[in-house]
Amino acid sequence: MKRVVIGLVAVLFSAGLWANEVEIRQVLEQQRQAWNRGDIPGYMQGYWHSDQLRFISGGKIKYGWETTLKGYLHRYPDAATMGQLKFELESVQMLAEDAALVVGRWTLIREKDQPGGEFTLIFRKLGGQWRIVHDHTS
């Protein structure tokens, strides 16, 4: 009986982890769709709306949702500059019930080039929603 209970707990725990991974992937898909519509504020909904949001890129560490939004708006002023975003996820690793590490690659498909790189994201479940709290993109 004890093995059955332990097995059931393991199955339920595994199902919960799988559900979290699906929700995290949905956040990234919503971001991708917003980006590809040219909607940077919509893209930003995947991030923690806090001054504590950490964003690392281009050798710089910046903090804050507003700062990150302004950076995106400055760097990508129009649809041509934004291009079409593509993600390839390497892994989604649950660190706790409310925390996950996501590693992957990004590519922008534009008329004249296809820049890309890698990213490491830390997601936290805050107020019942998965949000990026740390983004290191190269």
Side-chain angles (χ1 to χ4, degrees), residues 9-35:
V9 169
V11 167
L12 292 174
F13 181 73
S14 177
L17 292 179
W18 182 79
N20 286 331
E21 182 175 335
V22 168
E23 291 174 11
I24 289 166
R25 287 176 181 270
Q26 286 173 341
V27 170
L28 291 168
E29 177 60 16
Q30 289 167 355
Q31 283 190 296
R32 188 191 67 77
Q33 289 178 13
W35 186 275

Side-chain angles (χ1 to χ4, degrees), residues 49-135:
H49 201 288
S50 168
D51 291 339
Q52 296 177 47
L53 168 66
R54 183 181 310 137
F55 189 88
I56 304 168
S57 186
K60 296 178 183 173
I61 302 173
K62 297 181 181 179
Y63 288 89
W65 190 90
E66 293 288 339
T67 300
T68 303
L69 172 63
K70 288 176 187 174
Y72 274 123
L73 291 171
H74 177 74
R75 187 162 181 192
Y76 300 99
D78 55 42
T81 308
M82 290 177 73
Q84 293 292 295
L85 177 62
K86 178 181 169 187
F87 287 134
E88 293 177 40
L89 295 186
E90 176 74 23
S91 65
V92 176
Q93 178 183 359
M94 297 305 301
L95 303 173
E97 288 182 19
D98 65 347
L101 177 67
V102 177
V103 176
R105 292 174 190 80
W106 62 274
T107 304
L108 289 181
I109 300 166
R110 302 191 290 203
E111 189 173 314
K112 295 182 181 182
D113 63 0
Q114 290 189 4
E118 296 76 34
F119 59 83
T120 302
L121 308 172
I122 297 176
F123 273 82
R124 294 286 313 270
K125 195 165 195 175
L126 304 162
Q129 302 288 319
W130 285 100
R131 293 292 177 253
I132 300 165
V133 300
H134 172 99
D135 181 338

Side-chain angles (χ1 to χ4, degrees), residues 1-13:
M1 178 69 167
K2 187 175 181 180
R3 284 187 180 176
V4 171
V5 171
I6 291 172
L8 181 58
V9 169
V11 167
L12 292 174
F13 181 73

